[in-house]
Amino acid sequence: MGGGGGGSVKDVKSKSELENLVRGGTPVILHFWASWCEASKHMDQVFSHLSTDFPNSLFLRVEAEEQPEISEAYSVSAVPFFAFIKDGKTFDTLEGADPSSLANKVAKVAGSINPGQAASPASLGLAAGPSVLETVQELAKGNDSSKEKAHVQAGLSVPLNKRLQQLIDSHPVMLFMKGSPEEPKCGFSQKVVDILKKEKVKFGSFDILSDQEVRDGLKKFSNWPTYPQLYCKGELLGGCDIAIAMHESGELKEVFKDHGVDTIDEAKAAETGNAKGGISKSTGLSEILTSRLEKLINSSPVMLFMKGKPAEPKCGFSRKVVEILQQENVQFESFDIFTDEEVRQGLKVYSNWSSYPQLYIKGELIGGSDIVLEMQKSGELKKILQEKGILPQETLEDRLKKLVASSPVMLFMKGNPDFPKCGFSSKVVNALREEGVSFGSFDILTDEEVRQGLKVFSNWPTFPQLYYKGELIGGCDIVLELRNNGELKSTLSE
């Protein structure tokens, strides 16, 4: 899928790169695409034709699945999807393969046509080219035909098609997720499971990590690039964000009610209400035990229910979580579930989580050792701890200190050593390589905060900047001077 139009379509590789481009103030048109989606390919041709017609706008492509952060930021739920950005703000969006709407919206944001006027068919023909228009018209015809045909078009084999349809129809409410409801393998899947439990509906689930064919096939089948995916009576409702929004607005309850989805024990729960004393209907635990568990869970901002004590864990999984919390410098309390059978059994029911350890932050279950480990690796754990005020937010200065010290010889440059983006950076890289000095590097073009912050931090207004053991050596002139005097290597190994 190469963009034509004299290379005027650019692929965006990171959220920070995109933020820098958007900040420039030039009109930006974003095209979210997926390699498995036929309609994306057709719209890509239209997109690249438009980019040559409107040379003063930025035409950017984002691979929806490879860049989940960007897709999330623009609430992309299906591809092809377009966002139109003017003066740094999202001005309009378009979902689906509709070339004439795309041409109109591009023209509006690029400012060559008065708002409210339609693009003339001539300019559209020019923009799209007759062959592209034909392809897209064919595609539109195809979209009107039965669903079956559309899925076969998406390049799925007939047996896989059938299998996916059967899976989707296997339960009135069906969740395709990472892991199982008892042990979700990602936070987004966990959230949707929690929502379905709050909605008190029975649901089926399928672990997409267990089946690559289903995992890849379903994305094409439903034209939805990420997981989890929630279906009701065979229709896709959406992913995590949509499920949360529908749950909070009460819309999800309506949808389930309209489709006659069974809820769990609602009649009984309604009869007893949650009368104090006796049994709490939702979990079947006594009020006394429930209140004791709630007190324990909330007895510390970070609370770990584990086997043994932090100093002497009685199982490898518990030890792992203790180590992670210590690595993150988190103060936490713990409870040894071996000392209290009532808590041990009760908490499984209360939190609907069947194993130990269990980690809670501010009263909310985070998960067991798998999830905690995965969250630590992705940086999500630190983020939650900072958001909840348990760890101090990292200041820019802390971050710069860490970066500067991340390698004994550290170069802040434009681009990277193999592809420098400016002549001065290139010269410094060559000088270091000629002297056989190994060094770490950071591309300041990828991070505006670091770029501006470092100028103040080191009181040095330009880049590149070279540091040794956390101290600034200087920029290009100084490095070249040191090299010419034969002092560069000795300076960087004192």
Side-chain angles (χ1 to χ4, degrees):
M1 283 182 53
S8 39
V9 176
K10 180 174 165 49
D11 284 287
V12 174
K13 293 286 187 253
S14 74
K15 194 170 174 205
S16 55
E17 179 191 2
L18 177 61
E19 282 165 355
N20 285 339
L21 291 167
V22 167
R23 210 179 279 137
T26 312
V28 175
I29 298 97
L30 287 180
H31 174 201
F32 291 86
W33 63 281
S35 54
W36 44 261
C37 174
E38 277 306 306
S40 281
K41 292 177 189 159
H42 297 302
M43 290 306 282
D44 198 50
Q45 292 175 282
V46 181
F47 192 66
S48 70
H49 279 286
L50 286 166
S51 74
T52 44
D53 282 356
F54 295 96
N56 299 330
S57 296
L58 283 174
F59 286 74
L60 307 177
R61 297 191 330 154
V62 179
E63 196 167 348
E65 215 172 327
E66 297 297 315
Q67 303 292 343
E69 260 200 303
I70 302 178
S71 298
E72 196 119 320
Y74 286 88
S75 309
V76 176
S77 53
V79 287
F81 181 89
F82 300 87
F84 305 86
I85 299 155
K86 206 170 185 170
D87 306 321
K89 293 186 181 57
T90 304
F91 168 85
D92 204 351
T93 59
L94 170 67
E95 191 175 294
D98 183 346
S100 50
S101 294
L102 179 63
N104 272 320
K105 288 178 188 271
V106 165
K108 269 186 203 165
V109 79
S112 67
I113 287 181
N114 303 328
Q117 273 186 358
S120 67
S123 74
L124 174 58
L126 182 86
S131 60
V132 177
L133 282 180
E134 260 168 55
T135 335
V136 176
Q137 276 153 3
E138 279 304 302
L139 189 78
K141 270 191 232 145
N143 283 351
D144 297 340
S145 65
S146 70
K147 253 193 184 166
E148 191 71 20
K149 209 157 156 194
H151 296 321
V152 173
Q153 269 185 344
L156 299 174
S157 67
V158 174
L160 176 57
N161 212 30
K162 207 169 196 147
R163 189 175 165 220
L164 293 172
Q165 194 69 59
Q166 280 170 343
L167 276 172
I168 289 171
D169 295 337
S170 63
H171 292 84
V173 179
M174 185 67 189
L175 178 64
F176 292 84
M177 63 181 290
K178 295 183 179 177
S180 65
E182 295 69 47
E183 289 192 44
K185 292 272 164 68
C186 85
F188 301 115
S189 293
Q190 164 89 51
K191 279 181 183 158
V192 178
V193 167
D194 290 346
I195 284 170
L196 293 174
K197 285 174 183 165
K198 283 180 191 153
E199 292 280 353
K200 297 192 172 65
V201 291
K202 296 177 179 167
F203 64 97
S205 73
F206 184 91
D207 177 4
I208 53 128
L209 299 177
S210 67
D211 192 313
Q212 193 62 35
E213 191 185 37
V214 169
R215 182 180 185 168
D216 294 340
L218 194 61
K219 291 176 189 173
K220 295 182 185 177
F221 185 89
S222 59
N223 192 10
W224 190 273
T226 55
Y227 289 98
Q229 293 182 14
L230 179 63
Y231 292 77
C232 177
K233 292 281 170 92
E235 288 293 330
L236 174 68
L237 295 179
C240 178
D241 287 356
I242 289 179
I244 292 173
M246 287 178 73
H247 169 65
E248 285 172 354
S249 69
E251 206 180 329
L252 200 52
K253 194 173 244 54
E254 291 296 304
V255 169
F256 291 151
K257 212 161 106 187
D258 292 347
H259 288 87
V261 173
D262 289 339
T263 47
I264 299 159
D265 268 345
E266 211 169 47
K268 285 189 205 149
E271 272 166 31
T272 56
N274 255 354
K276 283 281 167 242
I279 301 288
S280 143
K281 218 6 170 217
S282 57
T283 58
L285 297 174
S286 74
E287 292 290 343
I288 296 168
L289 178 55
T290 301
S291 112
R292 189 173 163 222
L293 293 172
E294 281 171 357
K295 274 207 183 86
L296 275 172
I297 289 169
N298 291 296
S299 62
S300 166
V302 181
M303 187 67 192
L304 178 63
F305 292 84
M306 63 180 288
K307 296 180 176 177
K309 299 188 184 68
E312 292 174 63
K314 295 269 167 69
C315 86
F317 300 114
S318 291
R319 175 183 302 120
K320 185 82 229 163
V321 176
V322 168
E323 282 169 1
I324 288 170
L325 291 173
Q326 288 168 345
Q327 283 161 9
E328 298 286 345
N329 296 321
V330 178
Q331 297 280 318
F332 66 98
E333 294 295 325
S334 69
F335 185 94
D336 179 357
I337 53 142
F338 283 147
T339 61
D340 192 316
E341 194 56 27
E342 190 186 34
V343 168
R344 180 180 186 170
Q345 299 310 333
L347 194 60
K348 290 181 189 175
V349 178
Y350 179 87
S351 61
N352 196 3
W353 193 271
S354 56
S355 58
Y356 289 98
Q358 292 181 17
L359 179 67
Y360 292 78
I361 295 180
K362 290 276 174 95
E364 275 188 49
L365 175 67
I366 299 298
S369 66
D370 288 358
I371 288 181
V372 174
L373 180 61
E374 196 166 300
M375 286 175 70
Q376 184 197 30
K377 280 187 188 148
S378 72
E380 208 180 331
L381 185 61
K382 190 178 231 84
K383 210 162 122 192
I384 286 182
L385 290 163
Q386 287 173 346
E387 279 168 8
K388 302 266 185 203
I390 288 151
L391 286 180
Q393 294 278 0
E394 187 177 44
T395 64
L396 177 57
E397 193 170 345
D398 294 338
R399 197 176 154 220
L400 295 175
K401 275 183 188 154
K402 246 188 231 160
L403 272 174
V404 164
S406 60
S407 183
V409 179
M410 186 67 191
L411 177 63
F412 291 84
M413 63 181 288
K414 296 183 179 177
N416 62 48
D418 297 324
F419 296 101
K421 294 264 170 73
C422 86
F424 301 114
S425 293
S426 174
K427 282 180 182 163
V428 173
V429 168
N430 291 338
L432 291 169
R433 284 183 169 166
E434 280 163 23
E435 298 288 329
V437 175
S438 68
F439 61 98
S441 74
F442 184 90
D443 177 0
I444 53 133
L445 298 177
T446 62
D447 195 315
E448 192 59 25
E449 193 183 41
V450 169
R451 182 180 184 166
Q452 299 307 335
L454 205 57
K455 293 179 187 174
V456 180
F457 177 83
S458 59
N459 195 8
W460 190 270
T462 57
F463 291 96
Q465 294 181 14
L466 183 68
Y467 291 77
Y468 177 60
K469 292 195 173 167
E471 294 292 325
L472 177 68
I473 300 295
C476 181
D477 294 350
I478 291 177
V479 171
L480 297 184
E481 195 177 316
L482 286 168
R483 184 197 59 187
N484 296 341
N485 298 342
E487 291 168 18
L488 183 58
K489 194 156 191 169
S490 59
T491 306
L492 298 177
S493 51
E494 278 162 5

